[in-house]
Amino acid sequence: MAAAAVGTLAVTLIPGPAQASPKEAKAAAGTTAGATANIEVIASKLNNPRGISVQADGTILVAESGVGKPGCAPGTKCVGLTGSVYRVKGTQQGRVVTGLASSAVAPTNPYEPISAAGPNDVEANGSGYLVLNGFGGGTDDRAKLGADAAKLGTLQTASGWVVGDPVKHETLLDPDWILGHPANEEEASIHSNAWRFARNGRGFLVTDAGANDLIGVGFGGRTTTEAIFPDNELPAPGGAATAPSAKEKKALESLVPQTKSVAADGTVKVQAVPSGIVKGADGAFYIADMGGLRPGASRIWRIVPGHRAEVFASGLTAVTDLAADKNGNLVALTLTGGFQQQGPPLPGKLSRIDVKTKAVTEIPTDGKLAMSTGLAFGPKNEIYVTNNSVGTEGQLIKITE
């Protein structure tokens, strides 16, 4: 997900419960006065941790995108077999799957964290695991990276069988061409980066953050385009004042380079960048988009497969993942509240969306979320988040209300 030069973003948490003071909680925007959060570090030193799934018995799985290829020349993109699946089961934790493909540009500064593209999501599958891999390109780009890159961008079993290939789908069809994005040297039209997946009957639905679409994966690896997510238009008086900072560009480069155009009336278009997906209690699927990381540009879509996607909620910011609590309400994870020209990006947050009223309430996290990308609920309605998701200092944290 996010790119290399965000090592300054890490928020160090001390393992064990951390209780916010009433004063701090009251100062948190959008939270109830006196509210507190209980935040506990469950695992640390994770390598670019991304998506999370939790089994009925409380076992937690985390997809780690790895660190690319050790020894890769600075400034060069290399593929190594450093991607993995990390499991927490009771008091035991560690990597249960290793040797998965991981792509990264080796940093030129040795103190800069490595941002990798590799396993983005995972779930248990019988006695094994299903892993969705990120990438960032088309089949030609993947082939140039060598044999170890063959499964980048695919939905695969941990044993190596490819269930579906979103990169091939994007290369053959480029579904979001109909959005009319202008040619740009920084962004190829063919760009796939599968982000999350969910079961849909005997098949799967995959959000492709790079391709701006939702892909169905069926029997024999057959893929279909289930939805294309349009750009969002935002007011942008002055146009140039909304130009992204260097940090913002770097934080997007391994997800999808964000082009945007400013119209004569000052409005700006940003790409959708679909991210989290969850099946609701009503049987429909809810999909978040990141809105190009622009404040207020994220939306949540509701879709019944075979029908047109509709906007369910809007006005959110940089939503990287989505989950449903025990009451059926949605919870959205914000990567960051915004990028600053100087200093680290603003903290992320958790927002609960009432599925009946669509009211949005912030879940207090005391400003402790930093570049968080993965979200899941446990069997006791506890919340799990992957924090500090860039580099090798990633964390799995538990939040209880």
Side-chain angles (χ1 to χ4, degrees):
M1 163 68 195
V6 286
T8 58
L9 309 182
V11 174
T12 302
L13 300 181
I14 299 173
Q19 196 79 6
S21 69
K23 182 178 180 180
E24 290 173 329
K26 186 175 181 179
T31 62
T32 303
T36 59
N38 193 356
I39 301 177
E40 180 183 357
V41 177
I42 303 299
S44 57
K45 302 292 184 181
L46 302 180
N47 297 325
N48 285 283
R50 303 289 187 258
I52 309 169
S53 65
V54 183
Q55 298 170 242
D57 66 354
T59 298
I60 310 162
L61 302 175
V62 179
E64 291 183 280
S65 283
V67 293
K69 184 177 183 179
C72 181
T76 304
K77 177 182 284 188
C78 298
V79 176
L81 301 178
T82 57
S84 56
V85 174
Y86 194 95
R87 185 181 72 181
V88 178
K89 186 173 184 179
T91 59
Q92 298 181 330
Q93 59 178 264
R95 295 182 176 96
V96 290
V97 179
T98 57
L100 301 175
S102 172
S103 170
V105 175
T108 54
N109 181 340
Y111 300 103
E112 193 173 88
I114 298 173
S115 176
N120 270 345
D121 203 6
V122 60
E123 72 169 36
N125 179 39
S127 59
Y129 305 95
L130 275 174
V131 178
L132 180 67
N133 300 299
F135 179 49
T139 53
D140 288 346
D141 303 305
R142 187 168 61 185
K144 291 175 183 177
L145 292 173
D148 286 344
K151 293 184 176 64
L152 283 173
T154 69
L155 178 63
Q156 66 161 103
T157 65
S159 60
W161 178 54
V162 174
V163 178
D165 191 348
V167 177
K168 184 177 180 181
H169 183 90
E170 165 70 2
T171 302
L172 292 175
L173 302 176
D174 188 17
D176 71 340
W177 72 270
I178 64 171
L179 299 179
H181 294 148
N184 187 292
E185 293 181 358
E186 296 181 357
E187 178 185 10
S189 177
I190 304 298
H191 191 107
S192 173
N193 185 21
W195 189 245
R196 298 285 186 266
F197 73 100
R199 289 186 178 271
N200 178 30
R202 298 180 64 183
F204 304 90
L205 293 174
V206 177
T207 59
D208 194 322
N212 295 305
D213 58 17
L214 178 69
I215 301 170
V217 177
F219 181 77
R222 179 174 176 267
T223 55
T224 54
T225 304
E226 296 295 326
I228 300 169
F229 299 99
D231 299 344
N232 201 356
E233 292 190 9
L234 304 172
T242 65
S245 68
K247 284 188 175 69
E248 181 175 357
K249 289 182 178 179
K250 288 187 176 183
L252 281 166
E253 66 184 15
S254 62
L255 175 64
V256 52
Q258 288 296 292
T259 57
K260 66 182 193 309
S261 56
V262 179
D265 62 0
T267 58
V268 59
K269 283 188 175 182
V270 294
Q271 292 185 31
V273 194
S275 52
I277 179 171
V278 65
K279 189 173 184 178
D282 58 358
F285 288 88
Y286 292 84
I287 295 124
D289 74 43
M290 293 183 65
L293 293 193
R294 309 304 295 183
S298 279
R299 300 161 291 189
I300 295 176
W301 301 78
R302 181 182 183 274
I303 182 171
V304 176
H307 296 76
R308 186 185 299 274
E310 298 179 344
V311 175
F312 175 78
S314 59
L316 301 167
T317 297
V319 176
T320 56
D321 213 347
L322 199 62
D325 66 16
K326 66 179 181 180
N327 297 317
N329 294 315
L330 302 176
V331 172
L333 173 65
T334 289
L335 176 76
T336 173
F339 287 85
Q340 306 176 91
Q341 293 294 333
Q342 299 292 329
L346 299 174
K349 67 179 181 179
L350 291 170
S351 301
R352 178 174 281 114
I353 302 99
D354 187 303
V355 293
K356 295 179 181 179
T357 66
K358 300 184 182 180
V360 179
T361 306
E362 184 175 343
I363 298 172
T365 52
D366 308 333
K368 298 286 175 57
L369 298 186
M371 299 301 282
S372 301
T373 56
L375 170 69
F377 276 90
K380 297 181 180 179
N381 216 39
E382 69 273 31
I383 302 171
Y384 294 100
V385 169
T386 48
N387 204 35
N388 298 340
S389 293
V390 179
T392 58
E393 296 295 326
Q395 301 168 323
L396 171 66
I397 62 175
K398 180 172 77 172
I399 302 166
T400 52
E401 299 179 74

